[in-house]
């Protein structure tokens, strides 16, 4: 991948999050993860050693060219840090390691809700209401709510373009050829993909399945796309337009990476997901079953 299209930057001692930071994830590629006493150390391809504050990390995203020892997995598990295997810059999500403490309660609940048309529609309505609290969704079908969403999202793109004085010709993305898109679309593609990777890690850690959605269907990760839409406006859409103006239309991987990470941390995304999912799924389940 060309250097100008990278989202995540190389981990060094200088770029490593400090202990005072509450860090949702860290991305590693082309190196080896080993133990160092009772913690972890990362040895990159040049032999540089970076000790990782494992107690402050929620998830480790392992990219291409990485390897890890059995003891490293045990240490990460003991610190309640999940490990996910992803593509370069987390643009693809391959697999996740389940923690031994995981149970199937949330998975069963999600399956029961998604397989029942009435309860699935209730969850979908909650998701739309989360994003558009002023909209009257009473009695609306899923198709009607998706139509309302499409109009609002198109209006949001146009609003952000006018707010930041950035040209906008619509969402464009050619798989494998991100450089053909304009700067706004490049940032949207990169940050959306990174958000999907984080959400995959979070849902796995909480015992839910990325494959059982309530709004999206016919795609590999419908539940992830459902959840991503709850947070995209701040983490991806607003960021894409504001950064395009700041970068004067020239893609800057370090700046995109830094600002995206800042927004994820400022939003406290993983903690927010932990609060949102029980509200979106738990209360709907309790209402349906009378629990």
């Amino acid at each position: 991948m060309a250097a100008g299209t990278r989202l995540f930057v190389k981990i060094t001692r200088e770029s490593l999050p400090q202990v005072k930071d509450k860090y949702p994830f860290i991305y590693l590629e082309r190196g080896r993860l080993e133990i160092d006493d009772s913690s972890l150390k990362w040895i990159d391809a040049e032999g540089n050693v970076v000790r990782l504050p494992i107690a402050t990390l929620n998830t480790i995203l392992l990219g291409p060219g990485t390897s890890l020892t059995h003891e490293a997995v045990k240490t990460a598990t003991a610190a309640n840090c999940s490990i996910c295997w992803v593509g370069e810059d987390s643009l693809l999500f391959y697999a996740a390691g389940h923690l031994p403490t995981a149970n199937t309660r949330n998975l069963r609940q999600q399956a029961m809700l998604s397989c029942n048309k009435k309860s699935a529609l209730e969850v979908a309505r909650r998701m739309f209401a989360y994003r558009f609290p002023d909209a009257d969704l009473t009695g609306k079908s899923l198709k009607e709510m998706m139509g309302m969403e499409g109009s609002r999202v198109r209006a949001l793109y146009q609003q952000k373009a006018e707010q930041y004085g950035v040209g906008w010709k619509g969402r464009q993305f050619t798989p494998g050829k991100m450089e053909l898109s304009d700067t706004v679309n490049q940032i949207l593609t990169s940050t959306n993909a990174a958000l999907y990777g984080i959400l995959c890690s979070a849902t796995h850690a909480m015992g839910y399945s990325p494959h059982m959605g309530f709004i999206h269907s016919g795609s590999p990760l419908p539940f992830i796309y459902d959840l991503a839409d709850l947070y995209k406006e701040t983490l991806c859409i607003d960021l894409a337009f504001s950064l395009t103006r700041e970068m004067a239309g020239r893609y800057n991987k370090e700046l995109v990476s830094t600002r995206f990470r800042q927004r994820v941390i400022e939003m406290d995304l993983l903690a927010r997901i932990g609060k949102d999912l029980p509200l979106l799924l738990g209360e709907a389940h309790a209402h349906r079953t009378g629990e």
Side-chain angles (χ1 to χ4, degrees), residues 175-213:
K177 296 181 180 180
M178 192 172 76
E179 67 279 1
L180 298 181
S181 304
D182 58 28
T183 304
V184 176
N185 275 289
Q186 287 187 40
I187 298 173
L188 284 171
T189 298
S190 293
T191 54
N192 284 350
L195 178 58
Y196 298 154
I198 296 170
L199 291 173
C200 277
S201 303
T203 53
H204 273 291
M206 295 177 67
Y208 295 103
S209 169
H211 308 297
M212 291 186 288

Side-chain angles (χ1 to χ4, degrees), residues 50-225:
V50 180
R51 287 170 175 80
L52 304 181
I54 189 65
T56 69
L57 300 176
N58 288 290
T59 303
I60 296 176
L61 305 177
L62 295 180
T66 58
S67 63
L68 73 166
T69 65
H70 187 271
E71 290 299 318
V73 175
K74 289 171 59 178
T75 301
T77 300
N80 201 31
C81 176
S82 63
I83 298 177
C84 298
W85 287 261
V86 299
E88 194 167 47
D89 277 349
S90 194
L91 296 182
L92 293 173
F93 181 89
Y94 298 128
H98 291 277
L99 299 176
T101 55
N103 61 54
T104 61
R105 177 181 177 274
N106 288 341
L107 181 61
R108 291 198 307 270
Q109 176 185 351
Q110 182 187 8
M112 291 174 65
L113 291 169
S114 65
C115 292
N116 180 284
K117 290 184 178 181
K118 183 178 179 180
S119 60
L121 184 60
E122 290 178 3
V123 174
R125 187 172 286 115
R126 286 174 179 270
M127 290 180 169
F128 283 118
Y130 183 104
R131 300 170 59 200
F132 310 117
D134 59 328
D136 183 9
L137 303 176
T138 305
K140 298 291 184 183
S141 67
L142 179 59
K143 184 177 180 179
E144 289 173 325
M145 290 189 289
M146 291 180 70
M148 294 170 61
E149 176 198 34
S151 298
R152 285 173 175 260
V153 171
R154 286 191 294 272
L156 176 62
Y157 280 129
Q158 191 59 44
Q159 173 195 335
K160 294 298 179 181
E162 294 173 359
Q163 177 181 345
Y164 292 106
V166 174
W168 176 246
K169 298 180 180 179
R171 187 73 175 100
Q172 300 172 345
F173 170 63
T174 303
K177 296 181 180 180
M178 192 172 76
E179 67 279 1
L180 298 181
S181 304
D182 58 28
T183 304
V184 176
N185 275 289
Q186 287 187 40
I187 298 173
L188 284 171
T189 298
S190 293
T191 54
N192 284 350
L195 178 58
Y196 298 154
I198 296 170
L199 291 173
C200 277
S201 303
T203 53
H204 273 291
M206 295 177 67
Y208 295 103
S209 169
H211 308 297
M212 291 186 288
F214 298 89
I215 299 174
H216 292 83
S217 61
S219 55
L221 302 170
F223 192 50
I224 300 305
Y225 303 146

Side-chain angles (χ1 to χ4, degrees), residues 33-48:
L33 194 61
E34 300 180 353
I35 62 167
D36 182 20
D37 294 328
S38 60
S39 189
L40 294 181
K41 64 179 178 182
W42 170 250
I43 307 173
D44 66 20
E46 286 77 40
N48 300 308

